């Protein structure tokens, strides 16, 4: 089995070491890159392989997470980026999602949640920590927020079932979890997601979520 290549971009040495140690416990993950900010990351990418998934801090001194995410997706559109944040640090969260990030997690997540999120994002999911998913939903509900997903659906002509899949995606559920909620197969959910991406003119779950979140602006 091919291992998932992961890169970590985090400027706090203690947090970086903690996350690195958590990921090293997985036999399915290969840690190939560790940078302290966006500037350092792009220097390293000149001489090393590009990871499949990046774990990205938002607040960094030299080239923050939003800018780094945007530039990464422009240069390497196939990579997946998971934003790392703290409980009260969501000021740039949605900017990062709009820039191309596929999900967001709290930095202190337990090991199995962090590892599962890396797997989920490669399978088309948009993993979120429950707390951060709750924040997203709260923002979507503010001032007729619930209608914002419906507005996207109408403009893209999503079916009722596709709209349901989209709402669960915004809540941070992966393909398997959505299939369990809707009592359908994983294959059916993936097919719905393909149709959603086509209708929203996006390439994946992160962009789809970003399009919904973008309606809040």
């Amino acid at each position: 089995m091919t291992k998932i290549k992961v890169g970590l971009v985090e400027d706090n040495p203690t947090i970086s070491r903690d996350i690195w140690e958590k990921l090293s416990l997985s036999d399915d993950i290969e840690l190939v890159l560790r940078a302290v900010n966006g500037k350092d990351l792009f220097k390293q990418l000149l001489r090393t392989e590009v990871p499949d998934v990046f774990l990205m801090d938002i607040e960094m001194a030299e080239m923050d997470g939003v800018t780094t995410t945007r530039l990464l997706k422009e240069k390497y559109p196939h990579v997946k980026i998971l934003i790392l944040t703290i409980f009260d640090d969501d000021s740039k969260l949605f900017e990062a999602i709009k820039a191309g990030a596929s999900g967001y997690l709290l930095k202190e997540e337990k090991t199995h949640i962090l590892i599962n999120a890396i797997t989920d994002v490669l399978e088309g999911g948009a993993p979120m920590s429950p707390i951060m998913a709750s924040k997203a939903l709260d923002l979507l509900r503010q001032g007729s927020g619930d209608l914002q997903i419906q507005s996207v659906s109408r403009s893209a002509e999503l079916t009722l079932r596709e709209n349901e899949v989209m709402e669960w995606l915004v809540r941070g559920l992966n393909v398997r979890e959505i299939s369990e909620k809707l009592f359908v197969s994983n294959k059916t959910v993936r097919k719905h997601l393909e149709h959603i991406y086509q209708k929203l003119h996006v390439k994946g779950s992160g962009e789809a979520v970003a399009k919904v979140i973008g309606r809040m602006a």
Side-chain angles (χ1 to χ4, degrees):
M1 178 179 175
T2 303
K3 290 189 175 184
I4 302 170
K5 295 178 174 60
V6 174
L8 173 62
V9 188
E10 167 62 59
D11 63 353
N12 184 303
T14 301
I15 294 175
S16 178
R17 183 175 62 252
D18 180 56
I19 294 173
W20 198 259
E21 290 175 351
K22 288 178 179 179
L23 296 180
S24 67
L25 297 175
S26 172
D27 294 330
D28 300 324
I29 290 175
E30 180 182 358
L31 303 166
V32 298
L33 185 152
R34 186 175 176 182
V36 297
N37 54 51
K39 187 175 180 180
D40 179 34
L41 169 63
F42 284 107
K43 283 183 179 179
Q44 292 194 44
L45 286 176
L46 294 175
R47 59 180 185 273
T48 188
E49 58 187 322
V50 179
D52 304 306
V53 179
F54 288 89
L55 301 179
M56 182 76 62
D57 185 19
I58 288 187
E59 296 292 345
M60 296 180 289
E62 294 189 61
M63 194 181 294
D64 66 12
V66 175
T67 301
T68 304
T69 294
R70 183 178 298 110
L71 294 176
L72 267 178
K73 293 297 289 187
E74 288 176 358
K75 192 169 185 178
Y76 310 104
H78 65 284
V79 303
K80 302 294 184 180
I81 302 171
L82 293 175
I83 296 299
L84 299 175
T85 185
I86 58 176
F87 177 74
D88 58 353
D89 177 23
D90 60 348
S91 59
K92 294 185 178 180
L93 196 56
F94 297 126
E95 290 181 42
I97 294 295
K98 293 175 186 178
S102 296
Y104 34 96
L105 304 167
L106 294 179
K107 292 184 178 182
E108 64 267 26
E109 287 292 7
K110 293 182 179 179
T111 302
H112 73 279
I113 294 177
L114 185 61
I115 292 172
N116 287 342
I118 291 171
T119 302
D120 289 345
V121 76
L122 285 178
E123 294 179 349
M128 304 181 198
S129 296
I131 292 174
M132 304 316 296
S134 177
K135 287 190 177 206
L137 289 173
D138 286 344
L139 286 171
L140 286 169
R141 289 176 181 137
Q142 288 176 6
S144 75
D146 283 335
L147 297 177
Q148 293 177 23
I149 291 181
Q150 295 174 19
S151 175
V152 173
S153 300
R154 286 194 298 271
S155 63
E157 296 184 348
L158 298 187
T159 66
L160 178 60
R161 181 60 95 183
E162 289 166 355
N163 189 57
E164 291 176 326
V165 171
M166 189 66 235
E167 290 188 8
W168 286 118
L169 193 65
V170 170
R171 292 173 184 265
L173 273 63
N174 59 32
V175 170
R176 177 183 55 77
E177 291 168 333
I178 294 174
S179 70
E180 291 174 354
K181 290 288 186 181
L182 301 180
F183 302 102
V184 297
S185 68
N186 291 355
K187 182 178 180 180
T188 297
V189 173
R190 289 193 178 94
K191 183 58 67 175
H192 285 313
L193 287 172
E194 287 179 13
H195 293 160
I196 290 170
Y197 300 158
Q198 291 171 0
K199 292 178 179 180
L200 293 182
H201 304 292
V202 298
K203 296 178 181 178
S205 58
E207 289 184 36
V209 172
K211 193 150 192 174
V212 173
I213 291 173
R215 296 305 177 96
M216 297 184 299

